[in-house]
Amino acid sequence: MLPKLLTQIFGSRNERLLKGYRRTVQQINALEPQFEQLDDAALKAKTEEFKQRLAKGETLDSLLPEAFAVVREGGKRALKMRHFDVQLIGGMVLNAGKVAEMGTGEGKTLMGTLAVYLNALTGKGVHLVTVNDYLAKRDAEWMARLYNFLGLTVGVNLAQMSREEKQAAYAADVTYGTNNEYGFDYLRDNMVHEVSDRVQRPLAFAIVDEVDSILIDEARTPLIISGQADDQTDVYLAINKVAPGLKKQIGELDIRTGEGVIEPGDFTVDEKSHQVYLTEDGHENAERLLSEAGLLVEGASLYDAGNITLMHHLYAALRATHIYHRDQHYVVQNGEVIIVDEFTGRLMTGRRWSDGLHQAVEAKEGVAIQSENQTLASITFQNFFRMYGKLSGMTGTADTEAYEFQEIYGLETVVIPPNRPTKRKDEQDLVYKTTFEKFHAVVADIKDSHERGQPTLVGTTSIENSEYISKLLTAEKLPHKVLNAKQHAQEALIVAQAGRPGMITIATNMAGRGTDIVLGGNVENQIKLIEADASVAEADKALQIQTLKDEWAGLHEQVKAAGGLRIIATERHESRRIDNQLRGRSGRQGDPGASRFYLSLDDQLMRIFAGDRVRAIMDRLKMPEGEAIEAGIVSRSIESAQRKVEARNFDVRKQLLEYDDVSNDQRKVIYQQRNDILEAQSLVEQINNLRASTLGDVVRSFVPSQSVEEQWDLPGLERVLRDEWQLEVALTAMVDKSDSITDEDVLDLVVKTGDTVFADKVERVGIDQLTPFMRMVLLQSIDQHWREHLASLDYLRQGIHLRGYAQKNPKQEYKREAFELFSQLLDVVKMEVTRTLMNVRIQSQEEANRAAEAIEARAERVSNVTYTHPNEDGSVSQDAAPDFDAGKYGHVGRNDPCPCGSGKKFKLCHGKLA
């Protein structure tokens, strides 16, 4: 009661923030007449003036009112659009490093320009993050008119761009790009061997569009850059034949009573976590089937150390068969399995599920199986975006996830009121007993809306359902458009016309589509075509455009009279946000609209969480077939189920982050070391320290610290120094001659001898010649062992939960063991680098040229790496450059242009990889 009372007296935190922002809006509005008087050149000159004032010590906050007023005036001139007051508030929220929740159709793209312009004045670069390349390109081209008008440069960062193009994009004041590409560029920059190969500047300020989709939906799984691992195609095909021999158990066993199983089987399916588990009988049957298939030695156990990978493959095959379904989780196109994004319904071309799941699905579908990958570098979105000096975001639906934004990213969510009050009517959910009854009711509602001339947007959660409704509507002779992952190319066109009278559009999830549904249809594209037609006279163009606008105005009024856009949803999504995104398509900018969700007890969410309770109510009420429950208690029950799923997903993401924080701390150390090595003019001091430490370790294994002479093994130490480190040190002779000698004297002599031998090598070749070699040895050793370390952490992570059975905290155990592995990594790098540099032979130029030619002649084939980003349920995006076949081109000189066509020298391109 007390918090409610206090809120009534003082207003909520959100209301208090908005009150402060509105005071600043009044200041900006007061400046408008003054800036309207300036000509274009004077308005543009304001940008340089602001930069100078910042350099003299003024802050961004003190410049904000004037800068926002300049952007608003620039928008009126360059875009013919004036920022609403609520967009000014949104700009302030973004500048303050918060999340702005602003409804669909309220103008988030234009709102972003305010904070982008202000922060770009610092010269450090602003990154605008979008969900796909299409939106990055579209928004950059659209808003560049404003930025260029005000004297700022704009870059677009897309996949497959060359290094030079990316460097130019990042050097611009404002850079548009996707979350994946920014993350990949960060990882790639930490794999380069020359400072000049980096593309990114330090990460200063980012605005994330569709922030909930990027920072929450995609945060469960990391960005990964990987190279090819061993080919195991035969195993996947063999296991795929074994999996159908195992039977799914129906029902769940109650441990206390031993009851509950309707039909015993070999494995159970957990739909919530997308996992399968073998039962006791299942283990025996699996071992028998695998033995028959020749994959398991007769009498061997699935849990023998050598069979762990077999177990892994079996689970992947069972998940592929029983959890991942065609046209719901993926589609098969051109002989490839392509994942469907569960949140947006888009095809995720190039993404792949990890842990062998994608290969298992390929085996199931009978398409070519692509080989698995080995991780070269990885980072989660959570840790990547937390590296920005300032981070903010905007979306239509953030409030339900406000706690997670605050907890994980330290981002406060501010709900910005709409420019015009919402008139949309959200009707109660209707719950039917069966799917058949539900779809029958959906079609009846669509038919009624169509006959009244009201446009309808039908939302589904899978491609399968959208195609099923399409069949039902075709049978009823109702004209309609289907917008799902299979119609990706026509997406913008279909959405733009979804508001025409009587139009029926069926769509999978509508998140981040980036195109508004305008009542009466969108005439902008038709106007652009007329304006671009050179064969039509200007006077005729104006007439045609006016006719189009008049026609649209009539249609607009007709649709408004029919009730605006009607949203009909065929299922609740497990996240309330996705439902709100669909609803938000209707009622933009104060338009009328309506929405209703149709559910059945067979829906996944209902079945898992609320089905039994609602079914009991229906049975008690003796409801006839075809009748639906429409009650607040049912809607609240469903919302409660959604909250449970959201809370569980939050826990999954938080746990992922807690584990990734361990590797993130190590990643920072490794990347910092790499950067220090890349940027250092001289590496002599680092190499000397490594050598002293390494030789110290070697000596101490034969001459322990604070030990007496009788405990020393000097002949053994001399032999190791000679054979492994190319050091001739007469330790035995020295000890025989000396009256008193300590272990410290022995250590000192060995280290000094090492210094002398290495100094001689430096003198022979020159420090300028040797430094690039030392840099290469250091970087290659760090990179190789870091890759192996990442694989070790993966294996450790997979089995760490078992420590819980030993009454140990798995997270603490993971931290401890990960630290031990990291210490080993540093020791191995130290030893390897020192050994390489102590054993290196200094050759004459002629000898070196002959050796280089021999290496080139042996280089037969070099493959490029793959860039992978797993999605919500573990998918991995892959982009591989074509293989370069050196054998095909014959001999290539080190300084010749690379035959791959990159324009670089061979030694800086595929020659370096070889």
Side-chain angles (χ1 to χ4, degrees), residues 68-84:
F68 277 26
V70 164
V71 178
R72 179 188 260 182
E73 188 56 36
K76 281 152 64 176
R77 299 184 194 187
L79 300 171
K80 306 286 184 285
M81 297 164 90
R82 180 183 178 275
H83 293 76
F84 299 134

Side-chain angles (χ1 to χ4, degrees), residues 274-311:
H274 280 203
Q275 292 295 338
V276 294
Y277 302 101
L278 285 178
T279 61
E280 211 166 312
D281 292 343
H283 280 115
E284 290 175 20
N285 285 336
E287 283 169 0
R288 178 178 55 76
L289 290 167
L290 289 167
S291 296
E292 287 170 8
L295 294 166
L296 191 67
V297 179
E298 191 72 43
S301 164
L302 257 178
Y303 286 102
D304 288 348
N307 298 328
I308 293 295
T309 54
L310 210 54
M311 187 78 173

Side-chain angles (χ1 to χ4, degrees), residues 44 47 51 116-118 120-121 144 146-154 173-174:
K44 189 173 184 175
T47 301
K51 286 180 179 177
V116 167
Y117 173 80
L118 179 61
L121 296 171
L146 171 57
Y147 297 128
N148 296 159
F149 178 79
L150 294 174
L152 296 180
T153 54
V154 180
D173 295 313
V174 184

Side-chain angles (χ1 to χ4, degrees), residues 721-752:
L721 290 171
R722 184 176 59 251
D723 295 348
E724 291 187 27
W725 305 94
Q726 308 299 309
L727 291 179
E728 292 288 349
V729 192
L731 293 171
T732 312
M734 182 188 80
V735 170
D736 289 345
K737 282 181 195 170
S738 176
D739 296 332
S740 64
I741 192 164
T742 67
D743 59 285
E744 288 295 330
D745 296 330
V746 174
L747 175 61
D748 198 40
L749 178 63
V750 171
V751 171
K752 277 182 179 167

